[in-house]
Amino acid sequence: MSQKESHLLLPVDSAWLALEHPQNPMTITVMLRVEGLTESRLLEFLRIYWLAWERFRFMPVRRAPGWWWEEDPVFSLHHHVQVVRGEFDHRALQDWVSARLNQPLPDYRPLWKFWLVPDAEGGAALLLRMHHCYADGLSLLGIFERLCPPSPQQAPVLYGAPEQADMGRWARAANAWLRELTASETPRADAAWGGDISGNGGTAARNALERATWKSLKLVNELSQFLVEPEDSDSSLKRSLLGRRQCRWSRPVPLERFRQIATTTGVTINDVLLSCVASAVRKRLVADHTDMDEAVLHAAVPVDIRSRLPEDVKPEPGSLGNYFGTVFVPLPVDGESSLERLFRIKHETRKLKKSWQPGLSWALTGSASLIPESLRQPVADLFYRKASAVVSNVPGTRDQRYLAGCRILEQMFWVPQAGDIGLGVSIVSYAGQVQFGVVADEAVMAHPESFLDDCLQELELFPC
């Protein structure tokens, strides 16, 4: 394997470079509230543990016919860490984080940066912004789980990974996976099953043909259902973006509250969370005088597909990359009551549970960097015109963790919104508590804190 090939971006990573535009950069944001974290502790932590992943020393560079990882020849950790002084209260910190979301990362360095606000009210704030081409949210979550042990006296044990991408192996495995998805090999006759071998072979061939036909029909049906799914209704959530974004996050809510509601109503915790978002969206549409009887609105929900990939394509534990597909969940914004919305969401999520939609969307998204630019926008529109919001659910650890020996009090993630989607909702669980976060373009939502209030208010309407 050549040096060039080892640093070639996989299509599922370079896709996020191909799909972004200035009004909506594909950048993941992570905020941790870390008790007592200082600049010296942070720098030592990053130097020893964070930079053990070689990819963080590389930057994506466009060279025909694709994108390549190129090591920063003047890499310095100090280029990627900034300490901000000031006793920020809650509101000032939210405004400051929003300003960082609108600050572009320099494209002549690796596309990630940490900011530390050591004197923020309620504990030091550590902010990370990183381009989506480096990793998806679950990859980043896995890194922090490895680097942040459950005890202040415990040091990380397993961490780091070399940067390599064997495109030949990846392409062969992907082709084999697609062949297996749409057809089946004729199994050989086995005398161990008894009877006439040739007779068994004929039966096996017929069974294989039936399985291949069924898989092909299912694939066509999945694509057809996605293509005929109606686009979202015109609303204030579908306006042209201004490129100025604000983010907010809610107070922590005990996870047990969501568990009680799920147990009482016979749904999952994820159904309850998504129902809270649906309620907040409904209030937004009602305030805009939308015809609720005709309203159609979908949420693009990222789904981890690592377990569905063939062994040759599955990423190694602790490695970086993008391995998620997207399902487009219809939100019952026309539902009058909380229970109606909750049970309709349960129906939709069950229907999508065995869908091939995540794998298909992952494959089609990965093709974005491989097709001509003139065709790229229609492919993006095929997906992102189907949704008005992105809703991500980030499951954190059940116990508290420590970064550089300092206790993590809260953690929050914000994911980017591809295409012309201007609203992103993040739901993060950590150490027995749940927080909602929102990032919104100013054209879509001028005061996102009211959206968070509506999400939490929905909890009061459910039976305990």
Side-chain angles (χ1 to χ4, degrees):
M1 181 172 60
S2 67
Q3 180 72 8
K4 282 188 176 181
E5 187 180 20
S6 70
H7 294 149
L8 181 67
L9 266 76
L10 292 175
V12 290
D13 295 332
S14 59
W16 299 101
L17 293 158
L19 288 174
E20 73 175 352
H21 55 78
Q23 289 76 29
N24 216 346
M26 298 291 98
T27 306
I28 298 175
T29 305
V30 181
M31 187 188 70
L32 305 176
R33 303 302 301 272
V34 189
E35 187 177 55
L37 184 63
T38 62
E39 179 181 3
S40 60
R41 279 177 174 267
L42 175 62
L43 288 173
E44 181 182 21
F45 170 83
L46 296 177
R47 188 177 296 111
I48 296 174
Y49 300 114
W50 181 261
L51 294 181
W53 276 271
E54 288 185 356
R55 179 173 292 193
F56 294 143
R57 296 177 178 269
F58 287 74
M59 51 190 173
V61 177
R62 177 73 175 178
R63 293 206 310 265
W67 290 85
W68 304 77
W69 289 120
E70 186 174 287
E71 188 170 6
D72 182 357
V74 293
F75 180 86
S76 172
L77 182 57
H78 290 279
H79 293 158
H80 299 271
V81 179
Q82 182 177 343
V83 179
V84 180
R85 299 295 175 183
E87 297 180 1
F88 292 79
D89 61 16
H90 182 69
R91 183 54 187 257
L93 184 62
Q94 290 189 326
D95 290 339
W96 178 82
V97 173
S98 295
R100 302 290 76 72
L101 289 178
N102 295 307
Q103 180 179 334
L105 294 169
D107 58 7
Y108 52 86
R109 290 186 182 131
L111 298 176
W112 60 270
K113 185 173 180 177
F114 283 93
W115 288 263
L116 174 64
V117 187
D119 303 318
E121 195 176 280
L126 179 63
L127 188 73
L128 165 66
R129 292 188 64 222
M130 175 183 292
H131 198 281
H132 217 313
C133 69
Y134 284 80
D136 59 21
L138 283 171
S139 295
L140 282 179
L141 184 67
I143 285 179
F144 281 109
E145 285 185 2
R146 284 169 175 259
L147 298 184
C148 301
S151 168
Q153 285 80 37
Q154 182 180 344
V157 178
L158 298 174
Y159 58 90
E163 180 51 41
Q164 57 185 5
D166 186 346
M167 283 296 294
R169 178 187 64 83
W170 195 91
R172 288 190 299 272
N175 287 334
W177 178 48
L178 289 174
R179 286 196 302 270
E180 195 278 332
L181 183 68
T182 56
S184 297
E185 292 184 3
T186 302
R188 66 179 179 86
D190 195 332
W193 288 99
D196 178 69
I197 293 179
S198 60
N200 283 342
T203 302
R206 287 193 296 274
N207 291 339
L209 178 61
E210 290 175 0
R211 288 194 298 271
T213 303
W214 180 84
K215 286 184 177 182
S216 298
L217 289 174
K218 180 173 174 58
L219 179 61
V220 171
N221 182 58
E222 290 275 354
L223 284 171
S224 300
Q225 285 186 352
F226 176 76
L227 292 173
V228 301
E229 185 76 21
E231 293 183 10
D232 283 6
S233 306
D234 288 334
S235 70
S236 60
L237 300 181
K238 299 292 286 185
R239 294 171 180 164
S240 298
L241 305 184
L242 296 174
R244 299 192 303 270
R245 297 175 295 166
Q246 293 188 66
C247 74
R248 295 291 186 267
W249 56 94
S250 74
R251 58 178 173 80
V253 178
L255 178 61
E256 186 59 31
R257 173 66 176 136
F258 296 91
R259 184 176 288 112
Q260 289 174 352
I261 295 172
T263 301
T264 302
T265 55
V267 301
T268 68
I269 293 176
N270 287 341
D271 293 334
V272 179
L273 295 170
L274 198 54
S275 183
C276 290
V277 176
S279 174
V281 171
R282 172 184 166 81
K283 291 181 180 179
R284 182 69 47 183
L285 298 183
V286 169
D288 294 336
H289 306 291
T290 303
D291 183 356
M292 300 308 296
D293 291 333
E294 301 295 329
V296 175
L297 193 139
H298 294 79
V301 180
V303 175
D304 182 24
I305 65 167
R306 286 164 174 81
S307 62
R308 307 185 188 190
L309 294 174
E311 290 299 325
D312 289 341
V313 178
K314 272 184 185 175
E316 294 292 330
S319 61
L320 298 170
N322 289 273
Y323 295 93
F324 72 93
T326 304
V327 294
F328 294 84
V329 181
L331 296 182
V333 291
D334 58 324
E336 293 288 345
S337 70
S338 299
L339 285 177
E340 178 190 353
R341 291 190 292 270
L342 179 60
F343 289 126
R344 285 173 60 185
I345 282 176
K346 174 185 177 180
H347 170 74
E348 294 294 345
T349 55
R350 297 306 178 277
K351 187 169 65 174
L352 290 168
K353 195 169 185 179
K354 295 184 178 179
S355 171
W356 289 1
Q357 193 178 114
L360 293 173
S361 66
W362 178 72
L364 288 173
T365 300
S367 71
S369 61
L370 305 176
I371 61 178
E373 192 168 348
S374 59
L375 300 177
R376 196 174 297 156
Q377 190 60 42
V379 172
D381 287 345
L382 177 67
F383 280 92
Y384 301 115
R385 287 174 61 185
K386 300 281 185 180
S388 298
V390 175
V391 180
S392 63
N393 186 1
V394 183
T397 59
R398 295 182 179 181
D399 51 358
Q400 284 193 331
R401 295 299 183 107
Y402 291 80
L403 189 154
C406 301
R407 183 162 58 111
I408 299 175
L409 305 173
E410 299 175 16
Q411 63 181 25
M412 177 55 61
F413 283 67
W414 291 275
V415 297
Q417 299 77 57
D420 290 325
I421 300 176
L423 173 64
V425 183
S426 300
I427 306 167
V428 181
S429 61
Y430 168 71
Q433 59 188 22
V434 175
Q435 287 180 274
F436 288 83
V438 62
V439 57
D441 189 272
E442 288 184 7
V444 168
M445 196 175 292
H447 304 288
E449 55 270 15
S450 62
F451 186 90
L452 292 175
D453 293 338
D454 291 337
C455 288
L456 297 183
Q457 187 177 355
E458 181 75 353
L459 290 175
E460 306 305 320
L461 303 178
F462 286 119
C464 293

